[in-house]
Amino acid sequence: MTDLSAFPITRKWPAQHPDRIQLYSLPTPNGVKASIMLEETGLPYEPHRVAFDSQDQMSPEFLSLNPNNKIPAILDPHGPGGKPLPLFESGAILIYLAEKSGKFIPQDAAGRYQAMQWVMFQMGGIGPMFGQVGFFHKFAGKDYEDKRPRDRYVAESRRLLGVLERHLEGKAWILGDDYGIADIATFPWVRNLVGFYGAGELVGFSDFPNVKRVLDAFVARPAVQRGLQIPAAPAA
């Protein structure tokens, strides 16, 4: 049996199945990228809930795996060369899991780079901008009378949705006919923008029918439906 005791994170979240990928996460738009990918690939894994309300992400154990105190993070007991691999940053995790499984990323070099460019597009644009809209629309930003910051992020979010809208014309998924990590990176954030953040009307989501069409197809996937609930909330 694999020994993960050298990793301090396993002291706070003991591995019941140390031969499986250990996932440390929460069902946020970034967190579910990892759980959806794991569900889609079928790679064996064990989820651990990193509770923000108890500041788990700031614990020494979690920081030993991700010094940036963000979810998700993974610990793969069977990483490259057969050695355990700790990894953080959701985009890096998606690429790693795609390469490990040989799934959801093109096998040709040009296609792989195209997939990565759209993952980076999400990481650098969609995630940060949609997150700011959420702050100013749903959370503490409501306390600011000056709406210029909110409107700045709304305008940029509309621009990014427009990029997606035009790109998705005539396509089933971001890379065309094949579903993959670009979609898994992107659509949890689109779902959150119009769902949890309730900003659909604010950003004029009805102006982006291609984005809505692909979002609906994404959410309909059984692995996505499972991944959106992982790690599960504790029983009441």
Side-chain angles (χ1 to χ4, degrees):
M1 182 175 289
T2 305
D3 182 8
L4 297 178
S5 61
F7 294 90
I9 196 164
T10 63
R11 299 170 199 163
K12 186 173 178 67
W13 291 279
Q16 302 300 314
H17 304 281
D19 287 329
R20 301 178 185 178
I21 294 171
Q22 303 296 302
L23 169 66
Y24 308 92
S25 192
L26 201 64
T28 68
N30 283 331
V32 299
K33 294 179 200 174
S35 54
I36 289 170
M37 184 63 174
L38 287 162
E39 288 291 322
E40 292 278 16
T41 60
L43 290 168
Y45 73 103
E46 179 179 352
H48 304 278
R49 188 177 180 88
V50 180
F52 289 173
D53 55 0
S54 56
Q55 293 288 295
D56 282 351
Q57 76 275 20
M58 301 303 297
S59 66
E61 294 88 354
F62 188 78
L63 291 172
S64 71
L65 187 63
N66 183 1
N68 194 35
N69 64 273
K70 302 290 184 181
I71 57 96
I74 65 169
L75 175 57
D76 183 359
H78 306 294
K83 297 180 180 180
L85 175 70
L87 198 63
F88 64 90
E89 281 297 328
S90 58
I93 291 170
L94 284 178
I95 294 168
Y96 172 71
L97 294 175
E99 293 184 342
K100 180 181 178 73
S101 66
K103 298 178 179 178
F104 304 110
I105 191 169
Q107 296 304 302
D108 64 290
R112 291 166 67 82
Y113 285 117
Q114 288 173 342
M116 289 182 195
Q117 80 177 350
W118 285 103
V119 172
M120 301 306 165
F121 171 78
Q122 182 277 308
M123 298 289 292
I126 284 179
M129 294 302 105
F130 288 12
Q132 293 292 347
V133 170
F135 172 82
F136 282 101
H137 181 62
K138 183 179 177 70
F139 297 113
K142 290 183 176 181
D143 297 334
Y144 294 94
E145 292 184 10
D146 187 347
K147 298 305 178 186
R148 285 176 296 178
R150 184 202 67 177
D151 292 346
R152 172 185 173 88
Y153 293 118
V154 167
E156 179 63 3
S157 294
R158 278 188 57 84
R159 188 190 72 80
L160 293 167
L161 287 167
V163 172
L164 270 181
E165 176 69 17
R166 292 185 294 274
H167 178 73
L168 289 170
E169 181 66 34
K171 298 182 180 71
W173 302 103
I174 289 177
L175 289 190
D177 293 335
D178 296 326
Y179 169 80
I181 58 172
D183 307 291
I184 296 171
T186 302
F187 286 100
W189 273 104
V190 177
R191 174 180 177 268
N192 215 60
L193 178 70
V194 300
F196 180 68
Y197 290 159
E201 184 176 348
L202 183 66
V203 300
F205 191 65
S206 61
D207 295 336
F208 307 101
N210 287 321
V211 179
K212 183 181 185 303
R213 168 180 56 82
V214 181
L215 171 63
D216 290 344
F218 175 76
V219 174
R221 295 179 66 89
V224 171
Q225 293 175 19
R226 295 192 301 271
L228 289 170
Q229 308 301 319
I230 298 171

